[in-house]
Amino acid sequence: MPVLPSGDAIDSEWLSAHLNIGVEALDIEPLGVPQGFVSNTMRLKPRGASDALPDSLILKIDSENPVGRELALHLNSFGREVGFYRSLAPQLASLVPHAYATGNGSSDAGRWLLLEDLSAMAVGNQVRGVNAKDCSRVLDAIARVHARFWTSSALLNHDWLPRHQFWFKGSSETLSAFYRSFLDDYELRVEPEALKAIALVIEHSQAIDAAIAQRPATLVHADLRVENVLFARNVSQRDVVLLDWGTPTRSMAAMDLAFLIGGSVPMPARRGQLRELCALWHQSLRTHGVKDYTLSDAWADVQLAALRCLSSVLFLHNWQMDPNITSRAMLLDDEWIERCCALVVELDALEVLESLG
């Protein structure tokens, strides 16, 4: 039986109290992959007399991994996800799971969420990646999120929603230290232009952040990768559902596009299609109400975002140094690093640095 850090047991009595529905018995099934690094998920199957009782739910609680748990606390992941589901998710009902109940997001007894079980849908495979067609489905979905909150003052009213906060941001000193060890493993595996881009990102990290802060802001997922996406298996299901809202931020929309394509679309699957994917995302923004944002603006923002996302490869390689890393995590990180490095070359992203001075 799972137990919260507070010592509260996840049992039928606990579930009854938070659903406000009588639960007579409870079966709990651990979920394997996908298993979040900063959280732990499981399926609850309650039994009781009420017709209002869901057949199953997904429970999200603290990770059993101490490193992941510490990172979640550092990022306030539960506070941000609880805030998202309480305040913003109702406006995105078709795109995200329904939340039956949440904790307060901060205390040992309150870092949990009870979410709709959508396991009948297909979850993305990060190692395999997605093709351009499926990527475009995700981009259409996230564009609807971006459009809904485009330059919205409503996002300023939430103390749980930070500005421009990404797990892969770091000081030039930190990134420089990571780069030296990164070269030991990847100097011969990525393009020289990508290595040059990483060095320039380290040097101009502050200027890149300043440029991002000047762009139109909206709600950004900030961890938009294919394993955080569900796809319909049949016409009765929603086409795409976006999961894992533990790191939302108020920032430049194109960050999600660069993060998704750079990490989740293999190079052969996206070759020659980057401008088309950007145009599809931009058109979806326009369809859902975004004005005064040109396609050339969108392309320049994607280039800028790809540079910022490039620092993620340094953090991931540094995490690869952990002797306790799993083989699957190592493979995930390795795929991400090569794809993300290749993206800045494919986008000619270095040209945006000239405009930063």
Side-chain angles (χ1 to χ4, degrees), residues 99-115:
Y100 290 97
T102 72
N104 59 31
S106 57
S107 68
D108 283 351
R111 291 192 297 274
W112 57 267
L113 301 99
L114 286 168
L115 302 174

Side-chain angles (χ1 to χ4, degrees), residues 43 195 343:
R43 180 179 294 106
L195 297 176
L343 183 65

Side-chain angles (χ1 to χ4, degrees), residues 238-293:
R238 286 174 273 174
D239 185 52
V240 167
V241 174
L242 307 173
L243 306 177
D244 201 351
W245 288 88
T247 56
T249 187
R250 178 178 174 268
S251 193
M252 181 177 73
M255 292 296 295
D256 279 337
L257 191 150
F259 196 86
L260 174 70
I261 297 176
S264 297
V265 186
M267 289 85 83
R270 71 194 189 205
R271 188 171 295 124
Q273 301 191 66
L274 294 180
R275 288 192 177 273
E276 181 179 354
L277 289 171
C278 182
L280 288 168
W281 172 71
H282 177 258
Q283 183 56 52
S284 187
L285 289 176
R286 291 178 55 84
T287 298
H288 292 94
V290 173
K291 309 298 182 185
D292 302 320
Y293 186 67

Side-chain angles (χ1 to χ4, degrees), residues 192-246:
E193 188 176 350
L195 297 176
K196 177 183 177 182
I198 295 174
L200 288 172
V201 165
I202 294 170
E203 180 182 353
H204 298 285
S205 186
Q206 188 172 356
I208 291 170
D209 288 340
I212 289 172
Q214 296 302 312
R215 304 303 299 141
T218 186
L219 179 66
V220 173
H221 185 285
D223 193 21
L224 188 62
R225 50 195 172 85
V226 71
E227 285 194 345
N228 287 334
V229 179
L230 297 176
F231 297 91
R233 293 185 186 273
N234 56 63
V235 295
S236 69
Q237 297 173 336
R238 286 174 273 174
D239 185 52
V240 167
V241 174
L242 307 173
L243 306 177
D244 201 351
W245 288 88

Side-chain angles (χ1 to χ4, degrees), residues 114-260:
L114 286 168
L115 302 174
E116 177 184 9
D117 184 2
L118 295 171
S119 56
M121 299 181 71
V123 64
N125 183 315
Q126 190 69 38
V127 175
R128 181 180 188 275
V130 290
N131 58 29
K133 180 179 178 180
D134 285 340
C135 178
S136 68
R137 294 164 64 189
V138 182
L139 292 179
D140 177 67
I142 198 63
R144 292 162 62 187
V145 176
H146 295 156
R148 176 64 184 81
F149 297 103
W150 194 265
T151 65
S152 173
S153 60
L155 295 182
L156 303 175
N157 301 327
H158 304 295
D159 58 7
W160 52 266
L161 184 66
R163 296 178 70 246
H164 313 299
Q165 186 179 102
F166 301 95
W167 60 261
F168 45 85
K169 281 183 64 174
S171 68
S172 292
E173 292 75 17
T174 297
L175 296 177
S176 181
F178 290 170
Y179 186 50
R180 288 190 289 270
S181 61
F182 174 83
L183 288 176
D184 291 339
D185 289 334
Y186 285 92
E187 186 173 16
L188 302 180
R189 299 179 57 193
V190 301
E191 295 289 342
E193 188 176 350
L195 297 176
K196 177 183 177 182
I198 295 174
L200 288 172
V201 165
I202 294 170
E203 180 182 353
H204 298 285
S205 186
Q206 188 172 356
I208 291 170
D209 288 340
I212 289 172
Q214 296 302 312
R215 304 303 299 141
T218 186
L219 179 66
V220 173
H221 185 285
D223 193 21
L224 188 62
R225 50 195 172 85
V226 71
E227 285 194 345
N228 287 334
V229 179
L230 297 176
F231 297 91
R233 293 185 186 273
N234 56 63
V235 295
S236 69
Q237 297 173 336
R238 286 174 273 174
D239 185 52
V240 167
V241 174
L242 307 173
L243 306 177
D244 201 351
W245 288 88
T247 56
T249 187
R250 178 178 174 268
S251 193
M252 181 177 73
M255 292 296 295
D256 279 337
L257 191 150
F259 196 86
L260 174 70

